[in-house]
Amino acid sequence: MTHHEVEKYRKAIRVLHWIHSGAFVLLFLTGLVLFIPALGFLAEDSWTRLIHRIGAAIFVIAPIIYIILDPKAVGRGLKQAFTWGSEDLGWLLAAPRYYFLGDEKSMPPQGAMNTGQKMWWFMVLVFGIIFVLTGAIMWFAKEAAPSAVLQWMVFIHDVSFIVSGAMFFLHIYLAVFHPLINEAWGAMTGGKISVDYAKAHHGKWYEEITKSKEEKA
Ligand code: HEM
């Protein structure tokens, strides 16, 4: 790492991100096949159902391994995502001009996660839990549960699929294609961002990490 760069994501969180998002894409595509009747021919012999279940196992096991390996990092992540302050209100007010017009003037300095990133984190958590619970009932209680319950599970699973799928495309657009956000891909692949990018996009966080380094020195 040169002194013009700072570490944004540690290796363990990057590995989890790619395994978990890979499982999500697998679940999304095989879910799509189950969801759209016209694609039913792809589900012949039920191999999509099998892949959906393999995807589900990875989707559940990967974060559990991460939690076991580094519970403190999970605690820190949760704290970051659930700590909201005045800069979040500022983000919400400045976001339309920032993201649509590229006007950076009124955007207040953000922490390690900006408000939009925190909202995505929150959604991943909530929809992740909903998918696992409703999916597990469809998987393991297909015979035991009353059919009305199963129908509700399919309905909730489908609504989560539509909402989280749409938000997933928004996440990809912002992280990969938005003209102002040009180091997010590098951050999640190589782990580092430039000091200039850190100052411009995560000013509050950059100040915190440089201050704590100075205190230690
Ligand atoms: C751990 C998480 C998950 C589990 C345990 C799970 C489990 C299941 C099961 C058992 C079914 C019924 C399939 C069948 O008919 O055999 C199903 C259907 C489906 N899943 Fe999942 N799933 C999970 C996550 C996801 C995710 C992340 C998505 C999409 C982003 C998704 C989208 C769908 C869709 C669209 C269907 C079709 C429902 C319908 O028939 O309308 N699932 N899932």
Side-chain angles (χ1 to χ4, degrees), residues 31-49:
L32 195 67
V33 170
L34 296 165
F35 183 69
I36 297 180
L39 295 176
F41 68 94
L42 288 171
E44 265 165 33
D45 301 327
S46 268
W47 62 269
T48 35
R49 291 199 157 88

Side-chain angles (χ1 to χ4, degrees), residues 24 27-28 31 34-35 49 52-53 56 59-60 131-132 135-136 138-139 154 157-158 161:
F24 183 87
L27 287 160
F28 181 83
L34 296 165
F35 183 69
R49 291 199 157 88
H52 201 76
R53 281 158 174 74
F59 191 83
V60 173
F131 274 125
V132 173
M138 291 192 275
W139 186 349
V154 174
H157 208 78
D158 283 352
F161 160 70

Side-chain angles (χ1 to χ4, degrees), residues 131-181:
F131 274 125
V132 173
L133 293 179
T134 53
I137 292 171
M138 291 192 275
W139 186 349
F140 299 110
K142 206 167 181 172
E143 312 295 327
S147 71
V149 170
L150 281 176
Q151 272 167 26
W152 271 104
M153 294 305 117
V154 174
F155 177 70
I156 298 170
H157 208 78
D158 283 352
V159 171
S160 308
F161 160 70
I162 291 161
V163 177
S164 68
M167 289 300 148
F168 183 64
F169 282 102
L170 182 60
H171 172 60
I172 292 177
Y173 167 69
L174 288 169
V176 184
F177 297 108
H178 193 284
L180 281 179
I181 309 170

